[in-house]
Amino acid sequence: MIRRLLFTLALPSLVFACAATTDVAEEDDEATDEQAYTSWVDVSASYVGAYTPAPGARPGEVTSLRLRKDRSFVLVQNGATEQGLWTVKKGGAVAELRLTVASGARKTFRVTLGDGFRPRLALTRSRKTSELERAPVSCESVTCTTGMGCDVVDTDGVPGPVCNVRAPAWKTALAGYDLWGATFSGLWQLSYGAGSRGVSCGIRVSASTITCGTVGWDGWAVTGRIADDGTILGGTREGDDNYIAGRIDATGAVTLDAWRKKECYTVPSGTFCDKKEAGSLPKTAKPYEMCRTPDQTFQSGGWASGYYLECSECTPERQCIRYPAP
């Protein structure tokens, strides 16, 4: 009788011990032996991102995971939100995500991360897998509309692509000032005497225009539009009497590929036309800031117009007018 009673009392304790062992195994069956884990490679940087359920995947326990750059995380699993610190280490073909919850508890997942613009992440724990998809973390495969450019911006600790307004490269090079000059000399020989003639240009950054002429850029001139990519064009190569073509690169350097101008005058005997077309092109010139001397009115009633010159030639006496960026 005494032996039968002792056996009955011992049996429930044995059953409880077995159940506790089984629970621990299910809770942490992906965890690697600590000694082996210390030798694994930390690959956390490759896993930073915001993850949500992958399209077409079977619903899993994990519905949201945010792995921040500062190694903090936000996990939504079975409707509950947990936060703490995270790390991913890889040993051979196996990668393991460890989440240390703020309370001190730890969750371990076996993970596989795919490739591509929106890679898929498989999280496996206690033999249950959740398949998530990472939001883009780079500008790869991002196409922004004209005038916009892609930048990677951190939002809540996670990088992501954003399309921002872009100033054309040539405007960036000429930023801070609105009127620039460029001079191209030796484009053709004078028909009388010695020497040669060139073309002077004025660039209005705010208006995206360039005007080039033989008598200073504001006289006997042809105007062209400057496209966002720096291309200069005014008129057409064939057919137009007034034509200009060239480009401004990302350093601000101006290249003139073609320049042609025709002027017609009425004279007593009829109409007289003069046409000039620059040779020895293309040529490239470095731009310089342009200023203007003020107009002058004299006591005698006379008046003299101001003129444009390179800002470096201004003197305190001249009181040049400057053209800062609007």
Side-chain angles (χ1 to χ4, degrees):
M1 183 65 177
I2 293 175
R3 289 179 180 177
R4 183 178 301 174
L5 179 59
L6 288 175
F7 178 81
T8 302
L9 291 173
L11 185 59
S13 299
L14 179 62
V15 172
F16 176 80
C18 292
T21 303
T22 302
D23 288 345
V24 171
E26 290 180 354
E27 183 70 7
D28 208 21
D29 60 357
E30 280 76 31
T32 301
D33 176 77
E34 285 297 322
Q35 186 173 358
Y37 186 75
T38 56
S39 65
W40 284 16
V41 178
D42 192 321
V43 293
S44 302
S46 301
Y47 285 77
V48 171
Y51 300 83
T52 53
R58 294 179 58 184
E61 291 185 344
V62 178
T63 54
S64 178
L65 176 63
R66 192 173 199 87
L67 302 178
R68 300 190 182 101
K69 293 168 68 173
D70 65 359
R71 299 295 183 91
S72 65
F73 75 86
V74 179
L75 171 74
V76 179
Q77 184 177 15
N78 293 324
T81 301
E82 295 178 303
Q83 300 187 50
L85 300 177
W86 69 280
T87 187
V88 177
K89 281 192 171 185
K90 189 172 184 179
V94 177
E96 186 174 290
L97 166 66
R98 289 192 174 186
L99 305 179
T100 303
V101 185
S103 63
R106 189 177 71 197
K107 289 187 175 182
T108 302
F109 294 87
R110 285 289 171 86
V111 292
T112 56
L113 182 64
D115 299 318
F117 182 56
R118 293 179 177 271
R120 295 199 169 194
L121 175 71
L123 295 167
T124 301
R125 180 170 181 268
S126 300
R127 295 180 291 277
K128 295 178 181 179
T129 299
S130 300
E131 191 172 1
L132 308 179
E133 181 183 76
R134 184 171 69 185
V137 294
S138 73
C139 287
E140 181 183 357
S141 301
V142 174
T143 301
C144 299
T145 58
T146 302
M148 307 281 282
C150 183
D151 296 307
V152 177
V153 177
D154 282 359
T155 303
D156 191 19
V158 171
V162 176
C163 288
N164 291 321
V165 176
R166 278 282 190 276
W170 71 269
K171 282 195 173 185
T172 300
L174 303 181
Y177 201 72
D178 194 41
L179 180 60
W180 295 76
T183 300
F184 302 90
S185 59
L187 299 187
W188 56 75
Q189 293 295 317
L190 295 176
S191 57
Y192 53 89
S196 62
R197 173 167 285 182
V199 166
S200 296
C201 301
I203 304 163
R204 284 283 187 184
V205 178
S206 59
S208 298
T209 60
I210 181 170
T211 301
C212 299
T214 57
V215 186
W217 66 268
D218 56 341
W220 238 78
V222 181
T223 296
R225 297 287 304 176
I226 309 172
D228 284 349
D229 65 358
T231 300
I232 298 169
L233 184 62
T236 58
R237 180 174 292 277
E238 302 296 335
D240 284 348
D241 291 326
N242 299 328
Y243 176 69
I244 184 173
R247 60 193 178 278
I248 303 178
D249 67 18
T251 70
V254 185
T255 298
L256 191 63
D257 291 327
W259 184 92
R260 182 171 65 240
K261 176 69 177 177
K262 182 178 180 179
E263 287 276 343
C264 293
Y265 310 93
T266 301
V267 295
S269 60
T271 302
F272 168 74
C273 294
D274 186 13
K275 184 176 181 179
K276 290 183 173 64
E277 184 164 0
S280 303
L281 292 176
K283 279 194 173 182
T284 300
K286 183 179 179 180
Y288 48 83
E289 294 181 356
M290 290 283 285
C291 292
R292 180 182 170 88
T293 62
D295 298 338
Q296 296 184 55
T297 302
F298 304 102
Q299 291 182 349
S300 61
W303 174 82
S305 172
Y307 57 92
Y308 291 93
L309 74 167
E310 188 172 346
C311 292
S312 62
E313 298 176 6
C314 290
T315 62
E317 293 76 20
R318 280 177 170 161
Q319 296 182 342
C320 288
I321 301 170
R322 295 184 60 82
Y323 296 85

